[in-house]
Amino acid sequence: MGRIGGVRLQADDLMKVIQWKTDFASGERHSVCWYDLETESAGEWKLFDHLCVTVEVP
């Protein structure tokens, strides 16, 4: 099951800390991906970059 969320950043934001609760169980592996999108209007989404990591739950 995939989950999606959004974080808005302003030009003067130097750092943003994001925490979320999960129901990941011990021994599971999950991919967590971040996508950098910039919009000029509600109908225009330009993908600039992305980063994916695999999380292994101890």
Side-chain angles (χ1 to χ4, degrees):
M1 172 178 165
R3 297 179 182 160
I4 189 168
V7 176
R8 293 182 186 261
L9 300 173
Q10 302 301 320
D12 58 346
D13 289 336
L14 299 178
M15 182 175 73
K16 185 81 70 160
V17 176
I18 303 163
Q19 296 179 339
W20 74 93
K21 293 182 180 182
T22 69
D23 56 356
F24 297 167
S26 179
E28 291 182 341
R29 295 177 67 178
H30 298 274
S31 293
V32 178
C33 298
W34 295 98
Y35 294 88
D36 179 16
L37 303 169
E38 291 200 19
T39 58
E40 294 179 13
S41 68
E44 181 180 352
W45 287 46
K46 296 179 183 178
L47 176 62
F48 285 103
D49 201 3
H50 72 282
L51 169 72
C52 292
V53 296
T54 299
V55 177
E56 294 187 23
V57 183

